[in-house]
Amino acid sequence: MLKKVIAAFCLIFTVSAVERPFTYNNSTFLLHGKPFQIIGGQMDPQRIPHQLWPDRLAKARAMGLNTIFSYVYWDQLEPVKGSWESSGNNDIAKYFKIAQEQGLNIVLRPGPYVCGEHEWGGFPSWLSEVPDMVVRSNNRAFLTASESYIQNLAKDLKPLLVENGGPILMVQVENEYGSYGDDHEYIGALRDMLRSESAFGPVVHLYTNDGGQESMIKGGQISGALAESDGDPQTGFAARNKYVTDPSSLGPQLDGEYYVTWLDQWASNNTHQTDSGNAKSIQAVQSDLDWILKQNASFSIYMVHGGTNWGFQNGADWGDSLEPITTSYDYGAPIDESGRTNDIYNAIRQTIASHIGSENIPDMVKDEPVIEIPDIKLTPSSKLLDSLPDPISKKFPINMEALEQAVGLTLYRHVMASAINGTIDVGDAPRDRILVYVNGRRVGVIDSLYVTPNTVELSLKKGDILDLLVENMGRVNYGDRIVDQRKGIVGNVTLDQNVLYGWQIYSLPLSSPPKPSSNDIKLADTSDPVFFEGAFDVDPIGDTFLELPGWTKGVVWVNGINLGRYWTIGPQQTLYLPGCYLHEKNNKITVLALEPTGQEDVVRGIKTRNWGNNPDPDAPSN
């Protein structure tokens, strides 16, 4: 194996820099034979409506960037094993071509694991049902699935390598693997997959990216791939110089993820993360980027534009409990979630211009106006528990993936064969958010958002209907828990330590809302989830932010497009609605209220995003 690596490395570097469009020496990247600093930023196509790609890329270029770093989410491209969906927001090749037209290069970060606060770090949910599967390891089942993914991706993207006249300069091997492990056979297998003739070929430039600590740098580095660091640039660069001695992994320094701010997570005590308006913090960013450029080094801002976790694409972190990521992936970025530039953008643009000259940066791109939409009256259209699909019957509950379901809700229904009183325990542990109903009325919420979730005591009679509605709040995307991210109920349900046998299980992926029912729904008489509908016109068409006063938690669709989750606890209090999703007349809006209170009435479009926090009405009382 080592001989193959050395041979491939020699093949790359025996050709002169002039003949190769992109290469590097010990201290400098070379593009078309000339010294080249990567002035980059992360911007992932699958988080941006494809209609808006030209605008977002043009704004990145006008900030002074010359390169876009891009994750690719496997779960979006292959949601069902053996399928391949590369249209719309998944048309990665089109995104890269637009970037090239804007004068931007590409650094591709395909994973197969990417983290990115995305659902399961980009892994498709069906991996959980593959026998003997262990993700992020030198595991035959995982490597076989990964190789198929990489080969399919390469069919779309190999023509866009810089060697073929395209914009792709480098491809990352895995993602910050040194923060997870040090299995070099695994990383070596991925390196060889990427360089195989059936993927990107032996000439592709590969790199690894890891945090600036000894264990991280050493754990992620692999022979034949350029070793790079992220985070604080001075710490990372020093660590790379100290701990990497393999000449085939040495070259110019790159801060592969320079963090301007940080991500947002749903919680009453989590405020929105941004440095906008904080002159001292912005100056610190400018100082770091100025230092990097003076070192003849390179960087990628994470994120230059974060975008949105459309639908149920958000992942979750895990501290002492589940930490689900918000629908917005604004990330306090220089180009905000809605594509508007801010003071961070202007400051970074100024810093870059001081190094490369303002004449080498395109003119600023104008932000389009944001519109207001007056109150949209919504009325109840159907109850979720009255709109159920056909169930499957099982003696014991089964997990969501075994239902061939990736995201959304799963309902588990049991009819009591005898009277039982006591505490209900759900599976091996609550993995998400569980709404508990008895005879159609909500009696409790068990939420893994909390270290100690609510305890729900039940007193059930023979014939009572027990419903457990489980919401996938996002698979964990980082850390050891990533190994097992089955959703729904995993294990048995017990009541007073008695195992409940006999379940009707309903798969509710919510790929689209149900058709309205003909039943007259009286909100005062219900506590189970309700769909509301409304219609509205706009003139002119433009972006807006949907505000939901009085609504607790749920999901919003506009013209059939799932905009994502809302939740009163914050910090996100509005949903971004791009104008490209709107018509002038008769726009349809559907809102699922998972916990209706009778206060639901209107939704409106406002010109500014709202951030803030409210108490969680379902927070544990203990």
Side-chain angles (χ1 to χ4, degrees):
M1 182 64 69
L2 181 59
K3 290 181 179 179
K4 290 182 179 179
V5 171
I6 294 172
F9 183 74
C10 291
L11 174 62
I12 292 172
F13 291 99
T14 51
V15 183
S16 72
V18 175
E19 292 172 328
R20 294 207 74 200
F22 177 77
T23 187
Y24 54 87
N25 56 35
N26 194 53
S27 61
T28 306
F29 290 111
L30 300 165
L31 184 61
H32 303 298
K34 297 180 180 179
F36 178 71
Q37 283 180 283
I38 295 175
I39 303 175
Q42 183 92 13
M43 187 188 297
D44 304 332
Q46 290 154 296
R47 279 193 169 116
I48 308 167
H50 63 92
Q51 300 93 328
L52 303 179
W53 288 345
D55 173 79
R56 304 301 192 259
L57 290 165
K59 286 174 176 173
R61 182 72 187 95
M63 197 174 82
L65 303 189
N66 58 31
T67 305
I68 292 295
F69 286 60
S70 177
Y71 281 144
V72 176
Y73 307 137
W74 181 4
D75 68 314
Q76 300 299 299
L77 290 165
E78 193 179 6
V80 177
K81 185 178 180 181
S83 67
W84 193 254
E85 300 184 9
S86 56
S87 61
N89 292 358
N90 290 326
D91 192 345
I92 313 300
K94 182 177 180 180
Y95 178 77
F96 289 174
K97 290 174 184 176
I98 294 171
Q100 187 175 27
E101 291 168 0
Q102 300 277 12
L104 292 161
N105 303 291
I106 294 292
V107 172
L108 172 62
R109 311 179 77 189
Y113 166 78
V114 299
C115 186
E117 289 73 52
H118 185 81
E119 244 272 316
W120 206 14
F123 293 144
S125 63
W126 52 261
L127 286 179
S128 288
E129 292 303 299
V130 176
D132 302 318
M133 174 64 65
V134 182
V135 299
R136 297 195 82 183
S137 72
N138 194 38
N139 166 271
R140 179 175 295 181
F142 179 65
L143 293 178
T144 297
S146 297
E147 184 170 34
S148 174
Y149 157 66
I150 288 171
Q151 289 176 355
N152 281 323
L153 186 65
K155 289 176 185 176
D156 293 339
L157 301 183
K158 185 175 182 178
L160 299 178
L161 293 177
V162 66
E163 285 80 7
N164 299 323
I168 301 174
L169 305 179
M170 296 195 296
V171 178
Q172 180 177 276
V173 183
E174 232 261 9
N175 185 71
E176 294 183 319
Y177 181 71
S179 298
Y180 181 80
D182 59 1
D183 185 346
H184 289 86
E185 287 190 20
Y186 163 58
I187 295 296
L190 290 182
R191 173 202 60 205
D192 295 344
M193 281 182 202
L194 291 165
R195 280 226 172 101
S196 70
E197 292 289 357
S198 56
F200 291 98
V203 298
V204 67
H205 291 280
L206 302 179
Y207 79 105
T208 57
N209 190 76
D210 289 285
Q213 297 179 22
E214 180 178 5
S215 62
M216 296 176 181
I217 292 284
K218 288 183 174 180
Q221 179 265 334
I222 189 69
S223 185
L226 179 62
E228 301 292 11
S229 60
D230 61 25
D232 175 70
Q234 297 192 38
T235 301
F237 290 1
R240 206 287 300 269
N241 285 341
K242 183 175 182 179
Y243 299 121
V244 176
T245 57
D246 183 341
S248 71
S249 293
L250 292 173
Q253 293 276 15
L254 163 67
D255 189 334
E257 290 186 8
Y258 175 78
Y259 306 110
V260 172
T261 325
W262 204 240
L263 53 100
D264 287 325
Q265 298 160 327
W266 292 114
S268 291
N269 58 351
N270 283 348
T271 57
H272 172 52
Q273 301 292 306
T274 183
D275 284 340
S276 184
N278 186 330
K280 184 176 181 180
S281 294
I282 294 174
Q283 287 170 4
V285 169
Q286 289 182 286
S287 177
D288 282 344
L289 298 182
D290 180 67
W291 181 85
I292 292 171
L293 292 171
K294 285 178 178 176
Q295 305 306 307
N296 190 38
S298 299
F299 64 79
S300 173
I301 296 167
Y302 193 98
M303 303 285 294
V304 68
H305 172 56
T308 306
N309 291 311
W310 303 107
F312 304 116
Q313 292 186 26
N314 69 280
D317 290 331
W318 186 277
D320 295 324
S321 58
L322 191 72
E323 300 172 344
I325 309 302
T326 58
T327 296
S328 170
Y329 198 64
D330 181 79
Y331 220 96
I335 305 169
D336 74 18
E337 180 189 8
S338 67
R340 272 74 195 170
T341 59
N342 55 31
D343 49 353
I344 307 171
Y345 178 98
N346 295 330
I348 293 175
R349 187 175 191 266
Q350 182 182 49
T351 298
I352 295 171
S354 70
H355 285 268
I356 69 172
S358 58
E359 69 277 8
N360 294 312
I361 298 178
D363 293 339
M364 295 274 286
V365 178
K366 182 181 178 182
D367 291 335
E368 294 297 324
V370 182
I371 66 169
E372 292 183 346
I373 302 174
D375 288 357
I376 306 164
K377 178 72 175 179
L378 273 70
T379 56
S381 61
S382 62
K383 295 171 67 175
L384 184 141
L385 297 184
D386 292 340
S387 310
L388 298 174
D390 293 335
I392 65 168
S393 299
K394 295 288 182 180
K395 185 175 182 180
F396 302 106
I398 61 174
N399 55 290
M400 184 179 283
E401 297 78 9
L403 297 167
E404 298 183 351
Q405 180 185 350
V407 294
L409 308 170
T410 305
L411 178 69
Y412 299 83
R413 173 168 289 174
H414 174 80
V415 179
M416 299 302 298
S418 61
I420 306 179
N421 300 333
T423 302
I424 188 168
D425 291 304
V426 181
D428 56 1
R431 294 186 169 218
D432 274 297
R433 185 176 176 84
I434 306 168
L435 302 177
V436 184
Y437 302 86
V438 175
N439 299 325
R441 298 202 62 85
R442 189 173 71 248
V443 296
V445 179
I446 304 170
D447 194 343
S448 61
L449 187 75
Y450 297 98
V451 176
T452 306
N454 275 320
T455 298
V456 177
E457 301 286 338
L458 298 177
S459 178
L460 300 179
K461 304 183 299 295
K462 181 180 179 179
D464 279 350
I465 299 173
L466 171 65
D467 284 334
L468 303 176
L469 184 62
V470 183
E471 178 184 5
N472 174 0
M473 286 299 298
R475 290 178 176 84
V476 172
N477 57 77
Y478 185 80
D480 293 342
R481 284 182 175 264
I482 199 170
V483 173
D484 179 9
Q485 280 303 299
R486 290 171 294 168
K487 289 294 189 176
I489 296 177
V490 181
N492 292 328
V493 176
T494 62
L495 186 56
D496 192 30
Q497 299 184 2
N498 295 288
V499 175
L500 301 183
Y501 303 90
W503 292 88
Q504 299 287 302
I505 306 174
Y506 302 81
S507 179
L508 303 165
L510 298 181
S511 52
S512 60
K515 294 180 180 179
S517 69
S518 58
N519 299 329
D520 183 26
I521 301 171
K522 294 181 175 58
L523 291 179
D525 300 329
T526 187
S527 64
D528 56 314
V530 175
F531 291 93
F532 292 74
E533 286 197 345
F536 61 97
D537 300 334
V538 292
D539 184 22
I541 290 175
D543 291 357
T544 192
F545 305 97
L546 293 184
E547 184 179 49
L548 295 94
W551 302 73
T552 301
K553 189 179 192 303
V555 184
V556 177
W557 293 261
V558 171
N559 294 327
I561 297 170
N562 189 333
L563 300 184
R565 312 173 202 265
Y566 67 90
W567 199 355
T568 186
I569 65 173
Q572 180 178 353
Q573 296 294 337
T574 52
L575 283 171
Y576 172 46
L577 173 55
C580 61
Y581 290 163
L582 293 175
H583 319 303
E584 288 186 351
K585 301 291 184 181
N586 200 31
N587 294 280
K588 304 291 187 182
I589 181 170
T590 303
V591 180
L592 170 60
L594 283 169
E595 301 181 43
T597 63
Q599 302 301 310
E600 297 82 10
D601 187 19
V602 301
V603 175
R604 64 177 68 101
I606 60 177
K607 289 187 175 182
T608 57
R609 296 181 302 164
N610 283 344
W611 306 96
N613 298 92
N614 295 303
D616 183 356
D618 304 306
S621 55
N622 51 330

